[in-house]
Each structure stands twice: as structure tokens, then as C-alpha cells.
Amino acid sequence: MDRGTIGSSSGRRRSPQPWSVASSRSHYGFAEGQDFCSELSKTPNGGRPSKEYHLSLDMAKELSMVERNEKGKQARQLS
């Protein structure tokens, strides 16, 4: 799952920032290669590449459940 998808489905106005993935990694013990992977994406104009994160379904579920909003509450109730 692309990290932008979880941002929009969890009620966030913006997708999670890279620092939030790093913060989640250290706080919840997520492991790169197991729970998520990252890659540098090339820009069409040759500008600075951005880092894209792809989350496992389990990581996406856990992140959605810890959101402090109505969507996070709904995710917790579904579990």
C-alpha cells in the first residue's frame, strides 16, 4: 500500500511525511524490508528525487488504528 493511500483513507489532509514513517518505525518497531520499503523516485524535470514509501497491509492497519480522529476510531472498532 502506498503511504499516500493510507493518508487519504485515515482522514488526514496530507499523506504521512517521511519523518512520520521514521518516527513510526522507531516507536512501533517497524522494519524496513518487512513492514515497508522505500525508493527514490525520479522527477520528470531532473530535480531532486523524492523518497516514496510502500507499506505492508499490517503496517497500514496499525498506523490507521493509532490515528487520533474519527477514522482511527472506526479502524479500532473494526478490529
Side-chain angles (χ1 to χ4, degrees):
M1 176 177 277
D2 182 87
R3 76 179 168 93
T5 305
I6 182 121
S8 61
S9 65
S10 67
R12 288 183 173 204
R13 293 184 186 171
R14 297 178 4 194
S15 63
Q17 299 299 309
W19 55 263
S20 69
V21 172
S23 173
S24 299
R25 178 183 181 178
S26 62
H27 186 67
Y28 297 105
F30 295 125
E32 188 162 6
Q34 178 181 351
D35 299 308
F36 71 95
C37 61
S38 62
E39 64 182 347
L40 292 177
S41 65
K42 297 185 182 202
T43 58
N45 300 340
R48 187 177 77 182
S50 63
K51 196 168 198 177
E52 295 293 324
Y53 289 91
H54 302 280
L55 312 179
S56 70
L57 188 55
D58 287 337
M59 181 177 177
K61 280 193 227 178
E62 188 163 346
L63 289 178
S64 70
M65 286 192 273
V66 298
E67 284 295 316
R68 295 178 185 160
N69 59 26
E70 187 60 32
K71 291 286 189 177
K73 182 178 180 180
Q74 290 172 357
R76 289 187 296 277
Q77 290 172 339
L78 290 173
S79 296

